[in-house]
Amino acid sequence: MEEEEGETKGVEIVGAVVKRSWGGSVRTSALAILPPPEFRAVIEGIKSKKDKTFWTVWPPHVNVLYPFISDIQFEAASKVLEQALEQIDPFTVSFSSFSFFEHNKKCTVILQPDNEEQKKKIQELQSKCQECFPYFNHLSTRDGFVSHMTVGH
């Protein structure tokens, strides 16, 4: 595909599926859902006491795709995602139930969406994003995608 004004070279949108060489994933980038600013302080209060990675640059979030693309590709990716997600209606999610993931001898404490409908909405969103970026499937390969917000390690 040749570069034309207003287009990004190498991107071809076919329905919601994108054919493009996005390059490798980077661990400094994620496609994520961020809670509204008024809720971040509450979550950060929990994380500051219970999360050894609290000092990192990551605000409270729900990862959709991680690792993701490098920041120089964000503009092209946003165009792809905008088209792919236009059929998904806005939705609200509440997180008030705690759970955990076990990894070997360690655990990650998480907040989960309050009900199955909310989990399904996030999973639908994640699935659409995964269709656009099929090689960025780290979060959906082992046991399938689990919508959650990490609050402690």
Side-chain angles (χ1 to χ4, degrees):
M1 177 177 217
E2 301 224 357
E3 187 169 0
E4 297 177 20
E5 189 173 325
E7 292 189 27
T8 303
K9 187 175 184 177
V11 176
E12 180 182 354
I13 300 174
V14 182
V17 178
V18 177
K19 296 179 180 179
R20 178 195 167 119
S21 173
W22 291 99
S25 61
V26 295
R27 295 198 175 273
T28 55
S29 170
L31 180 60
I33 301 168
L34 301 178
E38 60 269 22
F39 295 110
R40 290 183 197 155
V42 173
I43 299 163
E44 287 173 347
I46 297 168
K47 289 182 72 148
S48 69
K49 294 178 179 100
K50 304 295 181 188
D51 190 352
K52 67 182 180 183
T53 64
F54 176 70
W55 57 268
T56 66
V57 297
W58 299 104
H61 64 280
V62 176
N63 276 332
V64 175
L65 298 177
Y66 175 82
F68 197 45
I69 59 175
S70 68
D71 60 349
I72 61 172
Q73 297 175 315
F74 284 174
E75 186 176 342
S78 69
K79 291 175 184 174
V80 169
L81 288 165
E82 184 177 353
Q83 180 176 350
L85 300 177
E86 68 187 1
Q87 300 301 317
I88 294 182
D89 292 326
F91 58 93
T92 300
V93 179
S94 299
F95 292 88
S96 61
S97 62
F98 287 90
S99 189
F100 62 92
F101 295 131
E102 290 185 72
H103 331 267
N104 300 324
K105 297 180 181 181
K106 298 179 181 181
C107 287
T108 299
V109 180
I110 63 170
L111 284 169
Q112 294 182 305
D114 285 348
N115 60 54
E116 290 303 314
E117 183 180 338
Q118 293 176 1
K119 289 179 186 177
K120 185 178 176 182
K121 291 285 190 182
I122 294 174
Q123 288 171 336
E124 178 185 0
L125 175 74
Q126 193 276 339
S127 179
K128 284 284 190 189
C129 294
Q130 189 73 71
E131 287 175 19
C132 294
F133 303 93
Y135 300 109
F136 299 93
N137 60 359
H138 177 76
L139 298 177
S140 60
T141 51
R142 257 195 327 208
D143 298 323
F145 176 77
V146 178
S147 53
H148 68 282
M149 185 178 304
T150 298
V151 293
H153 287 97

